[in-house]
Each structure stands twice: as structure tokens, then as C-alpha cells.
Amino acid sequence: MEEAFIYDSVRSPRGKGKSDGSLHELTSVYLSSEILKAIRDRNHLDTSILDDVIWGNVTQIGEQGGCLSRSAVLRADYDQSTPGLSINRFCASGLESVNLAANQVKGGAGIAYVAGGVEMMSRIPMGSDGAAIAVDPTLAMNTYFVPQGISADIISTKYGFSRDDVDSFAVESQKRASNAWSENRFSKSVIPIVDINGITVLEKDEHIRPETSMQSLGALNPSFKEMGQTIPGFDNIALQKYPELETIHHIHHAGNSSGIVDGSAAVLIGNKEFGQITNLKPRAKILATSKVGTDPTIMLTGPIPATEKVLKNAKMKISDVDIFEINEAFASVVLRFMQAFNVGHEKVNINGGAIAMGHPLGATGTMILGTALDELERSNKNVALISLCVASGMGSSTIIERV
């Protein structure tokens, strides 16, 4: 079995996912191609060596439809021999692209891949492609479908997290992200994005709100209470699935949930031979990957079984991991992860997460893997575990080791 190494990691800043966001005027193909150019140019990469470009994007419709990966490859002027593959595992698409590329390398199906993802949420609204599990009653009824926000509130209710718990976590995410930017902790991976005229449009994540406090969050109303309690109401559906709960406590809102943003990211993955051919030095080794299916109603607890599985695959224990990047889809998701594994917050999302910086669906997994890699190098640590919850009840995890 070959070993799979990470040679480089690049990402865009995250732009607000609204019409006034700094990246809004750029298409998904444009932003993806800019990231592909960056990872090529800074590594002086002959793209004819690449076996594939695997690209995650969730809402695959309109300008994000088709095989977006191949379109981005062509726009980036990669060698025409470089193919492209677009994949969708919802929120874990960016990490799944990395895992798929790594496992291709490990299995001997080529020597080098670029893996990553994109989501332009300001241009292609989440859910605009439709989803059978949400709109087909024959499926939704049998799976006790509820929206993700209700699922987050089920987690907090079932596992005992209060409004203060989730708000406190959110405040800390903002504090950590702001501190990370002030200390230039993202400078190794984040590149400025320019428009077609060469004018820089964004250099820094623009969703961060460093002034966030418990008081400001306390003024926000729960986002999912009305949809939960309005007749017939998703709460009633959830309580059919979880009759042990007397009621669903709605505590999540925009301030303790992931931000809607635009963004793209990529990593360069190859085996030892690739490094020898290109004279590039690997930064980390991908030790193990995993993906799981979970309860589709509570939906967002996938990082727990995915982590159990990836640790087993790597023949490791949770105590062997130095730092964790767990996507902050909602505050309760990460709180439940820390509770399940008895992991302290000092090891988790050290530089903040998606609550502060945002969650560009198809790119986030690649982004947080890059953040973990940078943090391993900055703090002189060795092992990181990256995991995301996934819509419809799935989870994805990756373990990397610095070399």
C-alpha cells in the first residue's frame, strides 16, 4: 500500500454569503479556478502529472451544476489531460474529496491529485437544487425528516446543553477566530482573491464578528422554534422518533450556528514518488479516513461514529490526537463531540470555526483540514483529527500526521 502525503493547502478567504458579500460577483468556476491556479503556481506544478482533480460542491445546479471540477480545470489552464470529478456528500464534500484522493493514491491509482471544493452560497442558495429526503413525502415520512436546525435542537435537548452553553461556545469561536487572524495564523494558506481586472476583492474572512458577547447573542430569538411548533410542526415528528423527550428546547439561532458564506479550498496530495519527481517536500501524511451513515432525524451526530471508525482504522486512541477540527455546523454538534469523547475545548477548533468564519458547504472540509495542518506546524504538534456532520445522517473523518 502506498502512503498518501499532503504537499500543500490553499484556501480563499470566506466572503459573506449575501449580495453585498465581497465574493458575490464571482462564479463558482471562477473562484475554483483561482484556487487551482494558486496551488499550481506556488508549487511550480506541471499539471500533466496530475491524475485527477476531485472537487466537492453541494448545490449542484445552474452555474454550480455539470461537472464543475472539469470546468474549473479548463478555466485554470491546467493541462488538458487533467480530468475533473465533482462529488457531493453534503457538508463533508470538501473532506470527502481529500479522502477519496488519498485513498486513490494509497491504492495505487495514480501518484498525484488536487482535491478540494467550493460553494458560492450568495449566488446558489442552499437547497435550491431540491432534495428528495426533504420534498418527497414517501421518503420524508419514513425517515422522520426534520430540518437541520431542529436536529441541532434535538441534540441539545437530548444531551443536556443549555442556551448559555451554546452561546458561550459561539462567543469563544468568535474570539478564537479573531485572535487567529490578528496573529496571522492563516497566512500560510489563505490567498487574496482578485477579480477579472486583477483587483483584490477579499483578503480576510469577512463573516467574523469579534464584538460578539453573551449579551448580544442573548437578544436573538431561536431560529427554529416556529417551524418546530407550528402545526403540524417538526417537533411532533421528532417526538415520534424520540418519545423519551417531553419537548424540544429550541436554543439555536444565527449567532450559534454556522455562517452562510462563499469560499473555495484545495490540497495537493501525492505519494512519495510524486515528491521525488517534483522536488516537493510533504507537510503531512494522511493516516486514515472514514465515512459512516447515522440516524437521519438527529442527523448531526455523525462525527462521533466517524471518529470511532477512523481511530480504529488508524489503530489509534482518542488520546493520541493532539488537535481536533470539528465543523461548527451548530454549537451543539461540537459540544456533543467533546462530551462523547471527554475532549477538552483547549484541543478543539483552536482557531475558531464555522460559527465565526462561516461554512461554505462544499469547501469547508478541505478548509478545516488545511487549518489543522497549519496549526500542527505552528504549535509543533503531530496528529490532527478532522470531522464533519453531514445532512441526511452521515459523518466523515480524517486523521493526518505532520512529517
Side-chain angles (χ1 to χ4, degrees), residues 11 13-17 170-182 186 190 202-212 259-261 328 351-359:
R11 78 165 174 93
R14 298 166 172 97
K16 290 187 296 184
V171 170
E172 183 64 16
S173 180
Q174 296 282 358
K175 178 181 176 182
R176 292 183 180 193
S178 179
N179 180 63
W181 269 105
S182 67
F186 301 127
V190 176
L202 188 63
E203 295 182 295
K204 179 180 178 181
D205 296 325
E206 66 176 345
H207 186 270
I208 301 173
R209 297 179 176 86
E211 72 283 358
T212 300
I260 295 173
V261 294
E328 295 175 0
N351 297 304
I355 289 174
M357 293 177 283
H359 174 22

Side-chain angles (χ1 to χ4, degrees), residues 30 194-200:
Y30 181 94
V194 299
D195 63 15
I196 58 174
N197 298 310
I199 298 172
T200 299

